[in-house]
Amino acid sequence: GQQLNQSPQSMFIQEGEDVSMNCTSSSIFNTWLWYKQDPGEGPVLLIALYKAGELTSNGRLTAQFGTTRKDSFLNISASIPSDVGIYFCAGLSNNAGNMLTFGGGTRLMVKP
Amino acid sequence: NAGVTQTPKFQVLKTGQSMTLQCAQDMNHEYMSWYRQDPGMGLRLIHYSVGAGITDQGEVPNGYNVSRSTTEDFPLRLLSAAPSQTSVYFCASSYIGLAGSDTQYFGPGTRLTVL
């Protein structure tokens, strides 16, 4: 089946630093999604990307849909302690209906 | 509206016991799905449904049954629990076919331990 490789697996950064994480796939996706999961909660959608090359921002978060449709990245600028959590990328392909394929997650830790 | 709700939040079972995890959504979403989350593996799709009366298997369906008798509810049944089913289970829902509206919303999860 399709697989998403997400990196890095974990990051420990200082408050105020910028963060970058990415996902790559061997298959094409038509939609890329980025979710954040807080401890004991379900994933919450941060950004959705629908077109190759699309660059979308949501506050301090910026995500891009790669031009090959096989990758995406998420940047967080000026990190704050509440950014702590696990970030997941997920891909949707037209030939898989609404079935999401998830990356393994990036665990972000922010030191005040 | 409440979004996607799941019950129970925690459950401990003995091997061989059966139980049903409940999921409900009040957004009139056609698509509902169940995922399990294991450490370091992201979320994996168990079963999904594109509407009442229609269900299909995902990536890891063995040991689980589902049904969709109404648009709102999508229960997940474990017929004979095994320790390998210890996991956190998430239900999600979305519209279908509306570009920009097909992103999935997740419930808070059920943490299941099978002894």
Side-chain angles (χ1 to χ4, degrees):
Chain A
Q2 297 172 325
Q3 291 201 356
L4 288 183
N5 298 309
Q6 185 171 348
S7 64
Q9 286 188 326
S10 62
M11 303 179 72
F12 189 69
I13 62 170
Q14 193 77 34
E15 180 178 1
E17 289 184 350
D18 296 343
V19 172
S20 184
M21 59 193 78
N22 69 84
C23 275
T24 60
S25 170
S26 57
S27 305
I28 288 173
F29 287 103
N30 300 101
T31 300
W32 281 93
L33 306 168
W34 285 93
Y35 287 87
K36 183 192 178 199
Q37 185 178 27
D38 292 323
E41 303 291 332
V44 174
L45 184 67
L46 297 174
I47 292 180
L49 302 158
Y50 298 102
K51 294 194 318 187
E54 180 181 356
L55 184 72
T56 297
S57 294
N58 179 7
R60 294 179 295 106
L61 278 60
T62 301
Q64 185 159 29
F65 193 143
T67 53
T68 65
R69 295 160 68 192
K70 293 183 178 180
D71 63 324
S72 177
F73 72 75
L74 175 71
N75 286 344
I76 305 173
S77 62
S79 59
I80 59 178
S82 62
D83 290 335
V84 165
I86 303 177
Y87 292 79
F88 290 99
C89 63
L92 266 173
S93 61
N94 283 351
N95 61 2
N98 274 40
M99 293 173 62
L100 281 176
T101 301
F102 279 86
T106 295
R107 183 180 296 272
L108 179 63
M109 293 159 280
V110 180
K111 183 178 180 182
Chain B
N1 57 40
V4 181
T5 58
Q6 290 183 239
T7 57
K9 197 164 178 63
F10 300 96
Q11 182 71 49
V12 179
L13 294 177
K14 294 181 179 178
T15 297
Q17 285 186 315
S18 63
M19 80 158 294
T20 299
L21 308 185
Q22 301 292 344
C23 174
Q25 52 89 13
D26 60 0
M27 297 173 281
N28 206 30
H29 286 165
E30 303 97 336
Y31 183 86
M32 296 186 73
S33 55
W34 276 101
Y35 295 86
R36 60 177 289 171
Q37 184 177 30
D38 301 300
M41 297 190 72
L43 286 85
R44 293 182 292 167
L45 184 64
I46 304 172
H47 284 285
Y48 67 97
S49 168
V50 297
I54 306 170
T55 64
D56 207 343
Q57 297 180 347
E59 181 185 355
V60 287
N62 293 340
Y64 308 95
N65 278 354
V66 292
S67 60
R68 184 96 178 269
S69 56
T70 67
T71 299
E72 294 78 19
D73 301 296
F74 190 43
L76 177 72
R77 281 183 288 277
L78 284 72
L79 299 177
S80 179
S84 61
Q85 294 178 305
T86 294
S87 188
V88 182
Y89 291 84
F90 290 100
C91 179
S93 72
S94 72
Y95 293 111
I96 294 178
L98 299 176
S101 298
D102 55 356
T103 52
Q104 293 186 31
Y105 297 88
F106 286 80
T110 294
R111 186 175 296 274
L112 176 67
T113 301
V114 183
L115 304 175

